[in-house]
Amino acid sequence: MLIAHKIALNPNNKQKTYFARASGTARFAYNWALAEWNRQYEASIMDQSLPKPSQAALRRQLNAIKHEHFPWMLEVTKNAPQMAIIQLGVAFKNFFQGAAKYPQFRKKGTDDRFTITNDQFQVDGLRIRIPNLGWVRMRETLRFAGKIMSATISRVADRWFVSITVNTQDNSHWPKAENQGAVGVDLGVSVLATLSTGERIIGPKAHNASLCRLKRLSRGLSRKTKGSNNRKKAKAKVARLHANNSNLRKDCLHKLTTDLTRRFDTIGIEDLNVKGMMKNRHLSRAIADMGFYEFRRQLEYKAESRGNQVVVASRWFASSKICSSCKSKLERLPLSVREWICPCCNTLHDRDVNAANNLRHLAVSSTVTVCGEEGSGLVRKIKVKPASMKQKFNTIATYG
Ligand SMILES: [Zn+2]
């Protein structure tokens, strides 16, 4: 499987300048190719004899004109523009398959990255060698053994990282699962996750905690004159705060998904209609904070590596309303009700623990279903599918 390790870099000033320049070149090539793609597509509609655009053709076209029109491109590795256009091709492929939105232009400051192929760099312990640049220090050594495929160098706030993709057969970095059987996980807004064991994992709520600070900083930013040094400084502060929040969230989710896959061989989760929930303004911030998508992505790839099963309940499975003791179903259960007593069997239920228990039952029952037999129709997906959405190109799993 493809797996990526993201490592912080310690570049010197010359190297930082090079990174910024290579990222700029990659962004320019990507945006140039996207604009050309749009133009050539329009033209091919008007005139059927013209070819439809493709990333391979666009790469050739850029190569043919770059010496004359964009000579500064030659100052950085030729991989930077080439890989950017290949990535555009992947973005279009994902779009055509319905897995992603229409490709957007890359923006300076948010999309500062470039990719190099394995013949263009070399990793040795705590350093990576990049053409025209020499050795750059890394904060840690590469964690995975296997064939190195590519490296993407990117900026997050004011720090540079390298994400090295490795094709590995080696699963030894996954400690053996303890196998405590099955577990149901109910994801929530006030509590990140409730397990059928009764454990509750409170999320970091990073965004909420620093929301005031973020608001104040953004207000300050909007008052600063465009192009001024103070604006630059304020912008860097906002970016750092965002990066910090995102790290807190990711760290919390990684710990949770690692813990779950380490302890349980069968994990039942809900198929949350995240898009529908995001439309609800009050819930949306909390949901975005909790990163439900990210939770499921991490859980699925970690489960796949360890050979666990993730059972995703259908969106229509009423995990909250079913009594996990006697299976009778309530007509309605408002979100505000946190505890309830089953009218049939008089069991007192904690809303979230009950839901987690139902997910656990569903997970267990769906894994013992005889092959070929139709299930209850409540499980949408039993086997874990690797990779999702835009991750297809260079990473499946990313370690921070
Ligand atoms: Zn009951």
Side-chain angles (χ1 to χ4, degrees), residues 98-383:
K101 288 191 297 185
Y102 193 85
Q104 303 285 307
F105 287 104
R106 284 190 183 172
K107 284 194 199 113
K108 187 176 178 176
T110 46
D111 299 301
D112 295 343
R113 61 175 181 275
F114 65 99
T115 301
I116 45 183
T117 47
N118 55 10
D119 56 321
Q120 292 288 310
F121 69 94
Q122 206 184 319
V123 176
D124 173 31
L126 279 169
R127 51 187 199 160
I128 177 170
R129 190 183 159 80
I130 294 163
N132 310 327
L133 195 60
W135 292 100
V136 184
R137 282 195 294 152
M138 303 195 297
R139 290 280 183 86
E140 49 184 320
T141 53
L142 184 61
R143 204 179 293 165
F144 308 119
K147 185 172 161 48
I148 292 176
M149 308 301 286
S150 65
T152 296
I153 291 169
S154 63
R155 172 154 60 187
V156 180
D158 50 358
R159 299 174 68 198
W160 288 96
F161 294 85
V162 62
S163 178
I164 303 173
T165 304
V166 179
N167 192 357
T168 178
Q169 310 301 326
D170 168 28
N171 273 349
S172 60
H173 53 276
W174 301 103
K176 216 169 144 30
E178 285 171 25
N179 195 0
Q180 298 183 10
V183 70
V185 185
D186 179 66
L187 295 176
V189 173
S190 50
V191 175
L192 171 58
T194 306
L195 310 190
S196 52
T197 56
E199 288 159 83
R200 283 175 212 277
I201 293 90
I202 296 163
K205 294 265 188 100
H207 215 110
N208 269 350
S210 53
L211 199 60
C212 295
R213 191 154 171 248
L214 192 64
K215 271 188 184 156
R216 189 165 49 79
L217 284 176
S218 325
R219 256 201 319 273
L221 176 64
S222 63
R223 276 199 303 267
K224 306 271 187 305
T225 325
K226 264 202 165 169
S228 70
N229 255 339
N230 279 336
R231 189 183 169 90
K232 251 187 229 159
K233 276 187 222 157
K235 218 173 168 179
K237 266 188 194 166
V238 172
R240 262 203 300 275
L241 192 60
H242 273 303
N244 204 2
N245 284 347
S246 139
N247 285 344
L248 281 175
R249 278 198 299 272
K250 270 196 203 134
D251 183 54
C252 182
L253 287 175
H254 270 300
K255 280 180 183 147
L256 172 60
T257 50
T258 296
D259 181 58
L260 286 171
T261 51
R262 200 176 277 180
R263 288 169 56 193
F264 304 100
D265 69 346
T266 304
I267 303 161
I269 60 170
E270 285 170 282
D271 180 14
L272 286 158
N273 180 2
V274 179
K275 268 186 195 150
M277 285 171 101
M278 292 280 237
K279 279 185 194 140
N280 179 335
R281 279 194 314 127
H282 301 293
L283 282 178
S284 60
R285 169 150 287 138
I287 290 169
D289 274 2
M290 294 305 189
F292 288 172
Y293 267 132
E294 182 61 16
F295 169 79
R296 182 161 161 190
R297 187 186 73 81
Q298 289 181 10
L299 192 68
E300 291 188 340
Y301 82 68
K302 289 180 187 178
E304 197 203 3
S305 306
R306 288 211 168 95
N308 320 9
Q309 272 193 306
V310 174
V311 179
V312 182
S314 129
R315 191 165 299 170
W316 315 114
F317 179 63
S319 59
S320 302
K321 291 184 210 156
I322 297 170
C323 167
S324 55
S325 307
C326 73
K327 310 291 172 223
S328 64
K329 190 179 159 189
L330 294 181
E331 274 309 306
R332 58 187 289 276
L333 185 67
L335 253 179
S336 55
V337 179
R338 306 313 302 171
E339 280 190 343
W340 54 284
I341 293 172
C342 173
C344 301
C345 68
N346 281 327
T347 311
L348 171 69
H349 286 303
D350 172 278
R351 181 196 183 94
D352 300 335
V353 176
N354 179 59
N357 266 315
N358 283 325
L359 289 165
R360 179 179 175 275
H361 291 158
L362 184 71
V364 171
S365 63
S366 69
T367 50
V368 295
T369 307
V370 184
C371 283
E373 188 184 317
E374 281 291 310
S376 56
L378 291 172
V379 179
R380 201 172 64 76
K381 198 172 79 172
I382 294 175
K383 281 201 78 177

